[in-house]
Amino acid sequence: MSLLNLKNLDFEELFARVAPLGASRTAALKLFASVFAHRAQSMADVARARQVPAGVRDWVQANATLPRLEVVERRKADDGFVKYLFASPLGGRFEAVRIPLFDTKYVVCISSQVGCALACDFCMTGKMGFSRNLETWEVVDQVLQVVHEADRPVRGVVFMGMGEPLLNYANTTRAARIMCHPAGLAISGRAMTFSTAGWVPGIKKYLADGLPYRLAFSLTSAIPEKRAQVLPVERTHPLPTLVEQIRAYAAQRNERAMLAYVVIKGFNTGLEDALALKAAFDGIPIKVDLIDVTDPTGRYEPPGADELKAFRDHLQLLKAPIARRYSGGKDIGAACGTLEASQRGGAVLDVA
């Protein structure tokens, strides 16, 4: 009989497993909190959970397990970003990034897959190809390990690392439930963001489930031919179908939809690009995050200051908030689009 992986269960799933053993809802909460809120390091730690019947503790200790990711290394960038390289006992390496905010807290950018199947042309993860989906515990453990070492509280999580989170929907949303639970990591759902390159079936399910987390939509161009050049998902789920889902998202949540727009020198920063955005999103409340492309191969380059300023001027016709997102950790391969389970740059941190 295989052991029960406690890190793979949200609270309701855990309660359903231990209730037949005589555990009350309060006892199940204590067990759940010992795993996540108190970051149990071993089954012995879980067995010490208070207000849990001894028989339940004994059963859990004999029949459950708490796997951990191996931290291969941590690299710190000049701007304070820290990239964690993890290895899993299930196979493969993947990364998470600890992002400092306002010198008071951290947000963690986490991975959902080993590699990625969507093959966005400017993304190093996409060039790796797809190996597998991460299990729930592998998603959560990235954050647990960062929290364990952090000198400031972790107040947010973004699914913007390796992989398309909506292609691993069951595991990523379960991980989010665990991290948002008051007896889990108690991270607000409003501080949790799923980034999608435009996987329409996942967006539809997300909306049908009424999840409390935010979505960020990677657009990069509102001209279908241009978008297809760099985001192959355009050929499977064309822009009009994506726009309709973004419209539904903005209406359901009664807020502006966030469009992530990777700016590429001489490619998607002209007046025609701004006009296409206006036409595609007419009547939809949006906000646009401009992100400099970061391509270690040198094929794609970010626009210069003058080109970017001109594009921002063009975007005024949208009458929508325009922001430039800082993409940190470039010297360690931690910037947007550069995660590839690499070991380069920065200073290697030893927390032993």
Side-chain angles (χ1 to χ4, degrees):
M1 182 183 71
S2 59
L3 295 176
L4 178 66
N5 185 340
L6 296 180
K7 289 183 179 177
N8 261 344
L9 304 177
D10 66 22
F11 171 70
E12 296 299 336
E13 292 167 334
L14 176 63
F15 181 45
R17 295 300 295 266
V18 298
L21 304 174
S24 66
R25 197 170 183 85
T26 297
L29 277 170
K30 295 296 183 180
L31 282 174
F32 189 77
S34 72
V35 174
F36 298 109
H38 304 307
R39 303 187 298 280
Q41 301 299 299
S42 68
M43 289 308 304
D45 292 339
V46 176
R48 285 193 287 269
R50 297 180 179 179
Q51 295 180 280
V52 177
V56 175
R57 292 201 307 268
D58 292 344
W59 185 92
V60 168
Q61 189 165 19
N63 295 282
T65 185
L66 281 178
R68 285 173 57 95
L69 299 174
E70 175 194 354
V71 180
V72 177
E73 69 172 16
R74 310 159 189 82
R75 286 182 179 261
K76 186 173 184 179
D78 292 340
D79 56 12
F81 281 54
V82 174
K83 184 175 73 170
Y84 284 70
L85 176 61
F86 294 108
S88 172
L90 301 181
R93 292 185 172 191
F94 45 92
E95 296 174 325
V97 181
R98 193 184 75 187
I99 302 170
L101 289 182
F102 311 117
D103 295 327
T104 58
K105 59 185 177 181
Y106 293 118
V107 168
V108 185
C109 174
I110 60 175
S111 295
S112 55
Q113 297 177 316
V114 180
C116 185
L118 296 190
C120 299
D121 203 35
F122 49 77
C123 179
M124 299 306 293
T125 305
K127 298 182 189 306
M128 295 173 61
F130 172 73
S131 294
R132 67 176 178 89
N133 285 329
L134 297 184
E135 292 193 359
T136 297
W137 77 267
E138 295 173 296
V139 177
V140 176
D141 207 47
Q142 295 172 65
V143 182
L144 283 173
Q145 299 224 29
V146 173
V147 168
H148 182 70
E149 299 177 359
D151 57 339
R152 308 173 198 166
V154 171
R155 294 291 187 238
V157 173
V158 291
F159 290 78
M160 296 181 181
M162 297 169 66
E164 163 61 56
L166 296 187
L167 276 171
N168 188 13
Y169 187 92
N171 289 329
T172 55
T173 56
R174 182 187 291 111
R177 289 196 298 274
I178 291 169
M179 291 186 284
C180 289
H181 197 284
L185 296 182
I187 297 172
S188 169
R190 296 287 296 177
M192 197 162 293
T193 301
F194 283 65
S195 178
T196 176
W199 189 250
V200 169
I203 299 169
K204 287 182 176 179
K205 181 164 178 53
Y206 188 102
L207 293 175
D209 290 346
L211 300 183
Y213 327 115
R214 291 179 173 174
L215 283 178
F217 303 93
S218 185
L219 195 72
T220 301
S221 179
I223 299 174
E225 296 76 14
K226 284 189 179 184
R227 191 167 190 269
Q229 287 183 50
V230 291
L231 274 69
V233 69
E234 169 67 22
R235 303 186 189 107
T236 306
H237 299 289
L239 185 66
T241 62
L242 173 59
V243 169
E244 284 311 302
Q245 294 308 307
I246 295 174
R247 183 190 301 276
Y249 171 85
Q252 179 174 304
R253 295 178 63 94
N254 193 29
E255 67 181 25
R256 294 181 182 272
M258 180 192 299
L259 306 184
Y261 195 99
V262 176
V263 284
I264 302 171
K265 179 181 178 181
F267 177 70
N268 61 350
T269 57
L271 177 59
E272 71 277 12
D273 299 290
L275 291 170
L277 276 168
K278 179 174 175 57
F281 292 93
D282 184 41
I284 304 175
I286 59 172
K287 54 186 176 182
V288 181
D289 269 12
L290 302 178
I291 309 165
D292 283 352
V293 69
T294 307
D295 180 9
T297 71
R299 182 179 178 190
Y300 297 105
E301 298 179 9
D306 291 344
E307 182 180 349
L308 184 63
K309 180 181 182 304
F311 185 49
R312 294 190 70 159
D313 289 344
H314 295 325
L315 291 177
Q316 297 309 306
L317 56 83
L318 296 177
K319 294 182 170 52
I322 309 296
R324 186 179 185 187
R325 187 194 301 174
Y326 177 69
S327 188
K330 292 183 180 181
D331 56 319
I332 57 172
C336 294
T338 63
L339 296 181
E340 55 176 337
S342 65
Q343 295 173 264
R344 65 169 187 269
V348 178
L349 298 183
D350 185 0
V351 299

